[in-house]
């Protein structure tokens, strides 16, 4: 039996690892799936765990209000070193580029345990953007034994860094698997009545998220000013902004955008309601990695409020645009989309470069059988 310890801590890691854990569980008793959450996020992680009825075997419960990177890293490392020594897994499985991802990989290395990395190889090649994710993922790749890049672009990044081609398997992004698993529920409008009953059906919807550390301060303020201008000049539009719970986001967003009639600042939505809102939205403005991948699966164009993205595939395919944090650029691009100047949903879906819903199956096939037919 192969023992796989899956470790995650934040909302996006949970969303992207749950289909992998479910696939692993389907292979019992050949595989044993053990789940540990660091709970680097608490409420936002629990929303996902509850939705998918995942009960972790270990919950380190490490989130602290306004936590700093160094103490979070140290605390995760110390706890996970002990846990991995106790569980003695054959593999530690991590995803993405958070503090949990890197600390878990490092803890596994200290225990001489093999690491498999889901969503490997994403790069901007700018170590401060995104901060600290670019360095988290580069360092995780140094430690990793099996790399699962979602696309061939990500695979090429790994090869360019001298990583052995035999340890790399292109799988597609597991978020597409997650989306497919909830697709039936997305057609049942009645499920969303309670969480989204504030929506005005006669107004067009601009969905917004934002949380990147490199935007904190003046950039985040400028993005908010752009949203304010869009709302004040377009009465037929409603801006829906589920605000990230990080106080460095929550506080300035409420200060600048609070009290505007057609801007809804809301608590983070449960995943189903959020994806339903992507489906309903006329425009999406975000700096989120996951949303950049989900939107094209649902036929939506995305404005990315960053200067650079580790997901260049969407920009290249013409289904996403980098607009940075400049108010004029954001407003101009937003007005274009609101005026109908964008690709059709079917065309956007056709160009989606991020996956085919089979990523988790490929990952588990490689872990158990050493090979799979790759995503291309
Ligand atoms: C983290 C990840 C980022 C990822 C993002 C997803 C790092 C360094 N950053 O950023 O890569 O894109 O998650 O959302 O790993 N908080 C709560 N409740 C929650 C979650 C957060 O109150 O459920 C607040 C806490 O005050 C916490 C703060 O947000 O201290 C920051 O959380 P943290 O995980 O350190 O950073 P994020 O900005 O969420
Ligand atoms: N998401 C959610 N509720 C929200 C906002 C986002 O469930 O209110 C989901 C979204 O669908 C995506 C993920 O959270 O799958 C993205 O998380 P985030 O933007 O925090 O992190 P990133 O993907 O940038 O690392």
């Amino acid at each position: 039996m192969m023992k796989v310890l899956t470790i995650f801590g934040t909302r996006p890691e949970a969303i992207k690892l749950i289909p992998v854990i479910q696939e692993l569980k389907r292979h019992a008793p050949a595989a044993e799936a053990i789940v540990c959450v660091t709970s680097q996020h608490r409420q936002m992680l629990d929303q996902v765990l509850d939705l998918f009825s995942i009960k972790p075997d270990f919950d380190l419960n490490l989130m602290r209000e306004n936590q700093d990177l160094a103490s979070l890293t140290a605390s995760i490392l110390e706890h996970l070193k002990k846990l991995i020594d106790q569980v003695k897994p054959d593999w530690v499985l991590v995803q993405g580029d958070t503090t949990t991802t890197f600390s878990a990989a490092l803890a596994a290395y200290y225990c001489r345990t093999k690491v498999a990395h889901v969503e490997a190889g994403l790069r901007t090649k700018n170590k401060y953007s995104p901060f600290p994710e670019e360095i988290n993922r580069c360092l995780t790749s140094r430690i990793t034994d099996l790399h699962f890049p979602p696309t061939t672009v990500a695979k090429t990044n790994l090869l360019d860094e001298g990583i052995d081609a035999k340890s790399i398997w292109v799988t597609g992004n597991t978020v597409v698997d997650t989306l497919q698993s909830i697709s039936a529920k997305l057609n049942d409008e009645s499920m969303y009545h309670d969480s989204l009953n504030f929506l005005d059906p006669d107004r067009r919807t601009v969905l917004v998220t934002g949380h990147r550390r490199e935007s904190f301060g003046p950039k985040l303020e400028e993005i908010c000013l752009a949203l304010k201008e869009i709302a004040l000049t377009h009465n037929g539009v409603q801006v829906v902004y589920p605000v990230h719970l990080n106080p460095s986001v929550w506080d300035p967003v409420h200060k600048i955008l609070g009290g505007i009639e057609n801007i809804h600042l809301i608590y983070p939505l449960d995943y189903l309601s959020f994806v339903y809102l992507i489906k309903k939205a006329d425009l999406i403005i975000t700096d989120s990695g996951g949303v950049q991948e989900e939107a094209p699966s649902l036929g939506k164009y995305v404005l990315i409020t960053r200067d650079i993205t580790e997901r260049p595939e969407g920009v290249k395919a013409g289904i996403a645009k980098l607009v940075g944090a400049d108010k004029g650029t954001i407003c101009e691009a937003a007005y274009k989309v609101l005026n109908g100047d964008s690709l059709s949903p079917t065309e956007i879906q056709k160009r989606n470069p991020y996956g085919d819903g089979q990523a988790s199956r490929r990952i588990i096939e490689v872990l158990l059988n050493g090979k799979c037919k790759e995503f291309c």
Side-chain angles (χ1 to χ4, degrees):
M1 181 199 284
M2 178 184 284
K3 212 186 226 190
V4 181
L5 174 61
T6 303
I7 302 174
F8 55 97
T10 66
R11 168 174 70 188
E13 292 163 82
I15 290 167
K16 290 173 170 178
L17 279 174
I18 280 170
V20 185
I21 294 165
Q22 288 169 337
E23 180 67 16
L24 201 52
K25 285 190 170 160
R26 271 195 279 280
H27 285 79
E32 184 186 2
I34 305 166
V35 174
C36 169
V37 291
T38 62
S39 299
Q40 171 179 339
H41 283 176
R42 185 72 275 170
Q43 303 92 322
M44 288 159 59
L45 176 70
D46 289 344
Q47 281 181 315
V48 186
L49 296 176
D50 291 348
L51 176 69
F52 291 95
S53 304
I54 297 287
K55 299 209 182 335
D57 301 285
F58 302 95
D59 186 337
L60 305 181
N61 199 22
L62 293 177
M63 193 195 88
R64 299 291 174 266
E65 180 73 11
N66 229 346
Q67 60 208 359
D68 76 86
L69 295 174
S71 57
L72 178 64
T73 305
S75 154
I76 295 176
L77 190 57
E78 197 176 342
H79 282 81
L80 283 181
K81 166 75 173 64
K82 284 188 198 127
L83 183 82
I84 297 167
D85 273 340
Q86 176 200 327
V87 173
K88 296 191 185 1
D90 297 296
W91 286 94
V92 162
L93 184 70
V94 295
Q95 193 281 342
D97 50 23
T98 70
T99 295
T100 292
T101 313
F102 166 58
S103 309
L106 187 58
Y109 170 71
Y110 286 159
C111 300
R112 293 185 163 78
T113 302
K114 285 182 291 187
V115 175
H117 185 204
V118 176
E119 199 182 82
L122 275 63
R123 298 287 187 269
T124 60
K125 301 186 178 154
N126 175 340
K127 73 177 183 181
Y128 289 109
S129 186
F131 174 85
E133 290 81 4
E134 179 73 3
I135 288 298
N136 282 345
R137 57 199 176 208
C138 287
L139 296 178
T140 301
S141 295
R142 298 318 309 165
I143 296 169
T144 292
D145 299 277
L146 260 183
H147 309 258
F148 296 115
T151 64
T152 49
V153 172
K155 175 178 178 171
T156 305
N157 290 333
L158 294 169
L159 293 173
D160 288 350
E161 291 173 10
I163 287 169
D164 183 357
K166 289 198 286 296
S167 67
I168 306 174
W169 297 88
V170 182
T171 61
N173 200 301
T174 55
V175 81
V176 181
D177 309 14
T178 309
L179 277 177
Q180 288 188 3
S181 76
I182 59 165
S183 63
K185 291 190 180 118
L186 291 176
N187 294 325
D188 180 359
E189 307 240 335
S190 64
M191 290 190 68
Y192 306 96
H193 191 260
D194 287 349
S195 52
L196 300 175
N197 59 6
F198 59 86
L199 286 178
D200 180 344
D202 296 326
R203 280 175 152 159
R204 284 179 301 159
T205 301
V206 178
L207 176 60
V208 180
T209 76
H211 69 85
R212 305 243 75 97
R213 275 177 162 71
E214 66 276 10
S215 302
F216 290 175
K219 286 188 175 183
L220 178 56
E221 286 161 22
E222 176 102 357
I223 294 165
C224 288
L225 291 175
L227 298 171
K228 187 171 179 174
E229 177 149 322
I230 294 167
L232 294 180
T233 56
H234 287 69
N235 190 43
V237 155
Q238 56 194 337
V239 175
V240 183
Y241 190 161
V243 187
H244 194 288
L245 298 181
N246 192 331
S248 303
V249 179
W250 182 270
D251 296 344
V253 166
H254 279 83
K255 198 163 150 218
I256 301 171
L257 296 177
I260 299 172
E261 186 267 330
N262 55 341
I263 298 189
H264 300 280
L265 301 179
I266 57 173
Y267 193 79
L269 283 166
D270 70 90
Y271 186 60
L272 272 183
S273 302
F274 185 78
V275 174
Y276 177 79
L277 209 45
I278 295 183
K279 229 178 117 176
K280 286 277 159 202
D282 297 280
L283 169 62
I284 298 169
I285 303 179
T286 189
D287 64 15
S288 161
V291 178
Q292 282 177 65
E293 294 148 350
E294 288 159 346
S297 301
L298 298 156
K300 297 296 159 141
Y301 188 78
V302 177
L303 300 183
I304 308 165
T305 48
R306 296 174 54 186
D307 300 323
I308 191 166
T309 176
E310 58 288 301
R311 294 164 173 86
E313 297 92 335
V315 178
K316 197 163 167 230
I319 56 176
K321 185 179 168 65
L322 282 165
V323 291
D326 176 67
K327 186 174 132 193
T329 312
I330 296 170
C331 289
E332 193 189 329
Y335 299 152
K336 264 191 167 176
V337 179
L338 288 170
N339 288 332
D341 185 6
S342 77
L343 295 167
S344 71
T346 319
E347 184 57 32
I348 293 173
Q349 273 171 322
K350 214 161 73 192
R351 296 187 190 190
N352 177 12
Y354 294 117
D356 62 357
Q358 298 297 313
S360 309
R361 185 187 53 71
R362 292 189 182 100
I363 289 164
I364 300 309
E365 235 175 87
V366 174
L367 270 176
L368 290 177
N369 305 326
K371 60 179 180 186
C372 75
K373 189 167 179 309
E374 292 181 274
F375 171 68
C376 55

